[in-house]
DNA sequence: GTCTACCCAAGCGGACGGAA
DNA sequence: TTCCGTCCGCTTGGGTAGAC
């Protein structure tokens, strides 16, 4: 399993890896690996970046992240002091080159197609969670059978994409580190003004080279990305802290100007911040 | 306190060239 | 061939003013 910018050792003779992570926070570096990841999160919440998109994750989510899709979990340790994730890692060729090509498994094509952008499972979640609970006490053969059951359930479930664009080319080590630095800086400093000069210095590039570099890998400009992070955090504050006025929320999320906040909020969420608060 | 319209500076991206 | 720097014109983000 090659993961950037770090590597997780995986025994070469294991086709399927079942892993349980119990930490204060999930690993918070941007990374990608060849294996498809199906994860169940019993505990924890925070922000998940997959490809070009910023998503929220919370306890009881079931997420599928395709092979080589860059992603990073940013745990909210205030909202949830403990994080736990149960994950199955495997790839298309784990059980032989043509295993998923046989006619009896044709239904799984849809699963692999959707996994390319990542997905959140919206229905049949209790059944899938039930299958995850069996994994810990199972041997390898039983775990492979459970994996097929989970894939079948996910295929029949309603799902929502976690991203709209994924950079098809695998990141090199240097690219992984550079993009990780940029993502990390944006996630940590979103509440402060960030200039192009500043972020291009983080990426160790000129301003224009950075613009091109970022757009090519995420299909959006750095400032579109930054605004999405700010608006996602604003949504959390609007819902979780009703005592904060909209103008304070905009300040907390890095908008110096409420006019601009309102405009960007409406563009991304389809309603004004006040309407959003009323709705939720 | 919230939202919209307008305007200007900052940001973006195409074209081109140099380096590896 | 790919990546990155520079130039330059167009686009967009963010600030101000004002209405509700």
């Amino acid at each position: 399993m090659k993961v950037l910018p770090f590597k997780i050792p995986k025994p070469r003779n294991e086709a399927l890896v079942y892993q349980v992570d119990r930490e204060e926070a999930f690993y918070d570096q941007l990374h990608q690996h060849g294996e498809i990841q199906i994860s169940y999160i019993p505990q924890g919440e925070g922000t998940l970046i997959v490809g070009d998109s910023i998503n929220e994750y919370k306890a009881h989510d079931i997420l599928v992240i395709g092979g080589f899709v860059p992603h990073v979990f940013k745990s909210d340790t205030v909202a949830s002091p403990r994080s736990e994730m149960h994950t199955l890692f495997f790839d298309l060729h784990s059980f032989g080159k043509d295993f998923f090509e046989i006619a009896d498994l044709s239904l799984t094509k849809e699963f692999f197609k959707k996994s390319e952008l990542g997905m959140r499972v919206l229905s049949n979640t209790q059944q899938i969670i039930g299958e995850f609970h069996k994994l810990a006490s199972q041997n390898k053969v039983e775990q492979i059978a459970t994996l097929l059951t989970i894939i079948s359930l996910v295929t029949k479930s309603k799902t929502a994409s976690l991203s709209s664009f994924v950079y098809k080319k695998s990141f090199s080590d240097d690219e992984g580190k550079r993009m990780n630095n940029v993502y990390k800086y944006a996630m940590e400093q979103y509440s402060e003004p960030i200039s192009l000069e500043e972020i291009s210095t983080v990426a160790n590039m000129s301003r224009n080279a950075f613009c091109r570099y970022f757009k090519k890998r995420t299909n959006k400009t750095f400032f579109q990305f930054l605004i999405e992070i700010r608006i996602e955090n604003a949504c959390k504050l609007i819902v979780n802290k009703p005592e904060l006025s909209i103008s304070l929320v905009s300040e907390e999320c890095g908008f110096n100007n409420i006019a601009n906040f309102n405009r960007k909020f409406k563009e991304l969420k389809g309603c004004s911040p006040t309407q959003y608060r009323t709705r939720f």
Side-chain angles (χ1 to χ4, degrees):
Chain A
M1 177 186 296
K2 188 182 182 192
V3 182
L4 300 168
F6 75 115
K7 295 177 175 66
I8 292 174
K10 171 190 161 190
R12 286 200 170 275
N13 58 351
E14 276 195 65
L16 173 68
V17 172
Y18 170 57
Q19 184 175 303
V20 177
D21 298 296
R22 289 189 188 92
E23 307 282 348
E24 188 184 347
F26 294 137
Y27 183 74
D28 66 350
Q29 306 289 309
L30 175 73
H31 59 284
Q32 60 181 174
H33 40 71
E35 286 74 11
I36 294 165
Q37 158 176 1
I38 308 178
S39 294
Y40 157 52
I41 300 176
Q43 257 192 312
E45 66 177 85
T47 306
L48 166 64
I49 299 178
V50 179
D52 68 331
S53 300
I54 295 112
N55 306 271
E56 275 184 71
Y57 73 86
K58 55 187 184 311
H60 312 303
D61 269 354
I62 294 161
L63 308 167
V64 180
I65 299 171
F68 295 109
V69 175
H71 57 282
V72 55
F73 287 86
K74 183 82 178 170
S75 303
D76 183 344
T77 51
V78 176
S80 177
R82 296 294 299 169
S83 295
E84 181 176 341
M85 179 161 24
H86 298 213
T87 303
L88 285 165
F89 293 104
F90 68 102
D91 66 44
L92 252 177
H93 304 134
S94 284
F95 314 112
K97 196 163 68 68
D98 300 322
F99 182 78
F100 286 105
E101 295 296 322
I102 61 174
D104 295 355
L105 295 178
S106 59
L107 269 178
T108 62
K109 280 196 166 53
E110 180 75 10
F111 170 86
F112 289 109
K113 181 76 189 157
K114 283 186 181 174
S115 76
E116 289 175 9
L117 292 175
M119 60 178 140
R120 184 195 308 277
V121 180
L122 303 175
S123 63
N124 298 325
T125 52
Q126 284 312 311
Q127 272 179 279
I128 296 169
I129 289 169
E131 295 301 320
F132 264 98
H133 284 312
K134 294 178 187 171
L135 287 163
S137 58
Q138 288 180 324
N139 63 33
K140 275 286 163 198
V141 175
E142 291 165 339
Q143 284 183 346
I144 290 169
T146 301
L147 168 71
L148 293 175
T149 304
I150 291 173
I151 292 176
S152 169
L153 285 167
V154 172
T155 306
K156 287 186 277 187
S157 302
K158 278 188 192 165
T159 59
S161 286
L162 292 173
S163 67
S164 56
F165 172 85
V166 169
Y167 184 53
K168 294 290 182 191
K169 202 176 149 188
S170 176
F171 284 177
S172 67
D173 282 358
D174 284 345
E175 273 184 303
K177 282 176 191 165
R178 176 178 278 163
M179 289 298 281
N180 179 56
N181 288 342
V182 170
Y183 277 26
K184 199 172 176 190
Y185 193 84
M187 303 272 281
E188 287 172 358
Q189 303 292 327
Y190 71 86
S191 59
E192 304 293 330
I194 301 176
S195 68
L196 185 59
E197 191 70 48
E198 200 176 336
I199 195 66
S200 55
T201 304
V202 170
N204 200 23
M205 300 174 91
S206 74
R207 299 187 329 162
N208 283 6
F210 172 73
C211 287
R212 253 201 319 265
Y213 180 88
F214 194 87
K215 175 88 182 205
K216 188 176 174 186
R217 282 153 186 81
T218 64
N219 201 35
K220 61 178 70 169
T221 69
F222 173 73
F223 284 91
Q224 285 174 314
F225 175 76
L226 180 63
I227 285 165
E228 284 179 31
I229 292 178
R230 286 173 169 165
I231 296 296
E232 285 303 323
N233 280 284
C235 288
K236 281 188 203 167
L237 288 179
I238 286 171
V239 174
N240 298 333
K241 293 196 174 175
E243 71 278 11
L244 280 185
S245 68
I246 300 297
S247 55
L248 275 176
V249 169
S250 83
E251 265 182 55
E252 289 272 316
C253 296
F255 290 91
N256 296 330
N257 179 301
I258 192 173
N260 192 36
F261 173 67
N262 283 329
R263 186 175 45 199
K264 292 298 161 195
F265 197 98
K266 201 163 190 176
E267 272 176 30
L268 287 169
K269 297 293 169 186
C271 63
S272 70
T274 312
Q275 288 169 329
Y276 188 85
R277 177 167 273 167
T278 311
R279 204 176 288 172
F280 290 94

